[in-house]
Amino acid sequence: MNRYFQVICRGFTLVELIVVIAVIGILTSIAAAQYSNYVSRTRASSAAIELKKMKQAVSLCAMETDISNCDGGSFGIPLAASFATTKNVLSLDSIVGGVITATIGATDSAGAPLTVILTGSINPVGANILWVNSGTSCESPRGFRSGTGDCS
């Protein structure tokens, strides 16, 4: 009767443990890369929101004069130097001729910050400004996706 109650305790082999650790390592490396891409895209989206007030100021200026006259410090547009930087917008480089240039917190795969170059043009059909982003933030998988952030 004693042999029926004996429990055979057996652990995992070393090979099984090594395989499990290898699989966990591979999954972790994939997840870390995807997470950093996600954080970079989030910073790009947040930068677009933070730059919106500059776009509005240039749009108001374009109602009063030609958009090529819309520079920082004129027609109610703040100077680029007065812009409060954040982790999403590292610097507002310039506002000249209705073109807003900024360096944002989103980075490329090498860690270099991406740029946003917003060029406004008056829509001939409507009464609004069309914005086009031609910065490096449109060219990177870690920046704006196609059709977002004023990228074409």
Side-chain angles (χ1 to χ4, degrees), residues 1-6:
M1 181 155 175
N2 204 5
R3 67 184 162 147
Y4 292 111
F5 293 109
Q6 287 181 347

Side-chain angles (χ1 to χ4, degrees), residues 18 24-25 60 67 72 88-90 103 122 127-129 131 133 136:
I18 290 174
I24 290 172
L60 290 172
I67 196 166
N88 301 320
V89 180
L90 302 179
T103 304
I122 297 175
N128 60 339
I129 305 282
W131 292 96
N133 181 359
T136 57

Side-chain angles (χ1 to χ4, degrees), residues 49-102:
I49 293 168
E50 292 174 15
L51 290 171
K52 193 170 204 165
K53 60 185 168 188
M54 293 300 154
K55 288 169 52 176
Q56 289 172 340
V58 171
S59 296
L60 290 172
C61 171
M63 287 186 209
E64 297 178 25
T65 184
D66 186 49
I67 196 166
S68 62
N69 297 327
C70 296
D71 298 334
S74 65
F75 296 100
I77 300 172
L79 290 169
S82 67
F83 184 81
T85 60
T86 64
K87 64 181 178 182
N88 301 320
V89 180
L90 302 179
S91 67
L92 182 61
D93 301 326
S94 66
I95 304 172
V96 178
V99 178
I100 302 167
T101 306

